[in-house]
Amino acid sequence: MKITKHIESEILEVMDDYWRSYFRGDLENWASYLPEHYRNIGTTKEEIWNSKQDIVDYTLRVLDQMVGMAELRDKTTQLIPMDPYIMVHELGDLYVHAEEGWIYYAPLRLSSLLDKTDDGWKILHQHGSFPDSKADEGEAFGFEKLKIENKELRDAIQSRTIELERKNRELEIESALERVRAVAMAMNKPDDILNICKVVFNELQELGFESLRNAIIHVFEKDQKHWIDFDYSELSGGTMARMPYIGNSLLEQFIGKIRRAKDSFFEM
């Protein structure tokens, strides 16, 4: 079919009316250009339609996302004769309406195969696509950008994994402390401190501390001359000993440091 000025004018008016109706939600007028055997391959994964009814049903579902929310601007049109049909190529900029107003979304490429029938021009087949955002000029595939994105993804996953491991570790430690607190709160007599030593020892092992020799709690008497050593180990079990420290310079220095550390000192 030869493209005359008259045919060109007709087709341009058809395509303008087609898209105008589509973006305004006038589906009756828009669908009047589609035959029952219409086909379309769109820009998203689910946009493969094999009939007029398929695309009408889909468009009804997404109508609220389209009307007043999308516009095709700065469109250029090329007509290509493909006897007995006309191929129409349209290139334009897709804009979408967001909270901040109209913003540029992507360049949109459209092709439509038109047939002149007794009922006017009908669109037999359409295809829409966005350019590959990863591929630069001269590239079939954007390998370099893909490598960068994959590295960023791996780094993000690694960072997230480290963060989750840290949080899990904190939860493990807090759970261990809760079990120690529970035993401490249930203590009725001084000898029960050995149970605390045992729980501390076991919980440290569960947390991954290796080569543990024992768990010790030192309690200092008010006369400041003796201390009670509560000691638990797997080899000896639990032992308790009352020992003097006055007169032993090394022990006095050691105990002095403990007394000055107020967060670790308890006196009976």
Side-chain angles (χ1 to χ4, degrees):
M1 178 183 293
K2 184 178 179 180
I3 301 177
T4 64
K5 289 290 185 181
H6 177 70
I7 290 176
E8 180 180 9
S9 177
E10 280 188 353
I11 291 176
L12 291 178
E13 176 57 33
V14 165
M15 298 310 299
D16 285 344
D17 188 48
Y18 176 84
W19 291 118
R20 186 166 51 246
S21 300
Y22 179 79
F23 285 113
R24 290 180 179 176
D26 183 359
L27 298 191
E28 182 177 355
N29 187 63
W30 164 75
S32 68
Y33 292 104
L34 308 178
E36 296 302 324
H37 55 283
Y38 169 83
R39 299 293 184 95
N40 188 312
I41 298 177
T43 57
T44 65
K45 184 177 180 179
E46 65 176 318
E47 293 180 353
I48 299 177
W49 302 290
N50 296 312
S51 70
K52 174 181 178 178
Q53 193 60 51
D54 283 350
I55 193 170
V56 169
D57 291 343
Y58 172 83
T59 305
L60 285 170
R61 294 200 305 271
V62 300
L63 196 63
D64 60 331
Q65 303 174 40
M66 181 180 61
V67 178
M69 303 300 292
E71 288 183 358
L72 186 59
R73 302 181 183 178
D74 301 322
K75 182 168 67 71
T76 60
T77 305
Q78 180 186 17
L79 275 58
I80 306 167
M82 301 188 71
D83 195 53
Y85 309 113
I86 301 293
M87 177 67 74
V88 180
H89 284 178
E90 296 171 292
L91 306 177
D93 294 327
L94 183 64
Y95 281 76
V96 295
H97 195 273
E99 291 182 0
E100 58 271 33
W102 287 99
I103 60 174
Y104 175 72
Y105 184 77
L108 181 59
R109 304 177 294 194
L110 300 158
S111 62
S112 304
L113 187 65
L114 273 66
D115 182 29
K116 183 64 178 288
T117 71
D118 294 338
D119 295 328
W121 289 98
K122 298 295 181 181
I123 301 174
L124 304 179
H125 184 280
Q126 286 187 295
H127 174 68
S129 68
F130 299 119
D132 186 347
S133 61
K134 297 183 178 65
D136 292 325
E137 186 174 351
E139 291 183 324
F141 302 99
F143 289 114
E144 290 303 317
K145 289 185 179 179
L146 188 61
K147 289 179 183 178
I148 293 172
E149 289 181 3
N150 285 341
K151 183 180 183 303
E152 291 175 347
L153 179 60
R154 288 195 302 270
D155 291 345
I157 292 174
Q158 183 179 15
S159 176
R160 181 59 175 163
T161 300
I162 292 172
E163 177 65 15
L164 289 174
E165 288 175 349
R166 183 186 65 81
K167 290 184 177 180
N168 287 338
R169 185 61 172 174
E170 290 177 354
L171 289 173
E172 289 175 354
I173 293 173
E174 183 59 33
S175 296
L177 289 173
E178 284 298 325
R179 287 187 284 271
V180 173
R181 292 189 190 105
V183 174
M185 293 296 293
M187 188 176 68
N188 294 315
K189 55 186 183 300
D191 291 358
D192 291 339
I193 295 177
L194 279 174
N195 290 332
I196 301 175
C197 294
K198 180 178 180 180
V199 173
V200 169
F201 186 89
N202 292 335
E203 292 298 332
L204 288 173
Q205 283 189 320
E206 288 295 323
L207 290 171
F209 288 88
E210 299 178 354
S211 302
L212 290 175
R213 187 174 64 181
N214 52 3
I216 301 171
I217 295 178
H218 292 154
V219 180
F220 298 90
E221 295 182 334
K222 288 184 178 180
D223 62 9
Q224 298 187 1
K225 294 179 181 179
H226 295 83
W227 66 357
I228 302 176
D229 177 84
F230 295 90
D231 190 329
Y232 175 83
S233 70
E234 285 185 322
L235 293 176
S236 62
T239 61
M240 181 178 66
R242 183 173 180 270
M243 298 179 291
Y245 61 86
I246 297 298
N248 187 317
S249 60
L250 291 177
L251 282 177
E252 288 179 352
Q253 291 178 15
F254 171 65
I255 292 169
K257 291 180 180 179
I258 293 177
R259 287 182 178 278
R260 288 192 293 274
K262 297 180 180 179
D263 59 344
S264 63
F265 180 73
F266 172 72
E267 186 177 62
M268 294 181 66

